[in-house]
Amino acid sequence: MVISFALALHAGTRMALVVMSAMPLVALGMAAQGWAAARTAAAVAAHTALAQTVADQALRGVRTITAYGLEGDAVWAYDLMLAPGARAAMAGAHGVGLGAGAAQAVLNCMFSLAFWYGGRQVAAGALSFDSMMRVFFTVVLAANALADVQGIVPALGRAADAVDRAFGVLETASPIERGDGAAAKKGRGGAGAGTAASAPPARLAAVAGEVRLDRVAFAYPTRPGHPIFRDFSLTVPPGTTTALVG
């Protein structure tokens, strides 16, 4: 693309500069396309994760669901979780389509501008017809290069969103201390590492075998708004077995 612009400037500097002035608008359309693709990928991934959680729970409890005739309710809950993702995907597809259409419209307008301005230059004797055609076709080559890039812009947007989500997981600091008492590190490449805890975990002098849960609150990370336990307390005496089923 750079070589095409250099050849166009050599063949007809004024015409090449006029035609190349539309290139930022093409880049703007492609940027809008990539932004819409990245935003759509993030929204769809979030809602798909929620739907996957519902499906996993339904498959684990398939016997219970079948016994109570709750198949329709399970399908309804799954569709309910998928619906926002489908709406986000539809809106994102419109955004990507508008960005691609805008970029193509600007390219076609750029070609029209090249013929109009080049014709005026030829009529005025400031540019030969051969030079005008050389400028036009070198700009067409550059535009074809941009069109090739435009095809992978949505994929680049989805890849950027995937990288952000991956590093978001890697940078999550765990509140659980390691066995040596050191706190979990946070940050890419060790940047922003946490400091060591005040002291390593203490050893218990005696173990009676009793297990006690005191006002426990719990929710799955993928569904933080749906708590499983809220102020749940339980005492398991030594020598007994207790199972939590659900």
Side-chain angles (χ1 to χ4, degrees):
M1 188 170 64
V2 175
I3 295 176
S4 298
F5 285 149
L7 292 175
L9 290 171
H10 180 267
T13 304
R14 295 183 61 181
M15 178 181 172
L17 290 176
V18 169
V19 176
M20 289 165 55
S21 63
M23 286 296 180
L25 296 178
V26 178
L28 183 61
M30 295 173 60
Q33 185 181 4
W35 175 81
R39 186 176 181 182
T40 301
V44 171
H47 293 294
T48 303
L50 293 176
Q52 184 64 40
T53 302
V54 173
D56 291 341
Q57 292 176 355
L59 291 175
R60 291 193 189 101
V62 63
R63 294 184 178 181
T64 303
I65 292 176
T66 303
Y68 287 95
L70 299 176
E71 295 91 339
D73 293 337
V75 173
W76 174 83
Y78 183 75
D79 291 340
L80 183 65
M81 292 299 176
L82 279 183
R87 290 193 295 268
M90 185 65 68
H94 291 162
V96 172
L98 288 175
Q104 290 296 325
V106 173
L107 282 175
N108 291 327
C109 291
M110 186 176 65
F111 296 156
S112 301
L113 176 63
F115 276 117
W116 175 80
Y117 188 79
R120 289 178 62 89
Q121 289 284 293
V122 171
L127 189 68
S128 66
F129 180 78
D130 293 341
S131 297
M132 185 197 78
M133 295 306 295
R134 283 198 296 269
V135 172
F136 175 77
F137 281 110
T138 50
V139 171
V140 167
L141 291 176
N144 288 335
L146 282 178
D148 293 338
V149 174
Q150 184 181 1
I152 64 173
V153 166
L156 292 176
R158 291 190 295 269
D161 173 69
V163 170
D164 288 340
R165 287 188 283 113
F167 276 106
V169 174
L170 294 175
E171 292 178 345
T172 301
S174 174
I176 302 175
E177 294 181 352
R178 300 200 306 265
D180 57 359
K185 294 182 178 180
K186 182 179 181 181
R188 300 184 186 180
T195 58
S198 57
R203 293 183 177 274
L204 298 176
V207 179
E210 181 180 86
V211 177
R212 179 177 299 172
L213 303 179
D214 186 19
R215 301 180 65 184
V216 173
F218 173 76
Y220 290 106
T222 55
R223 303 182 68 188
H226 298 76
I228 305 301
F229 294 140
R230 185 185 293 112
D231 291 335
F232 176 74
S233 299
L234 176 67
T235 300
V236 182
T240 62
T241 301
T242 302
L244 299 179
V245 181

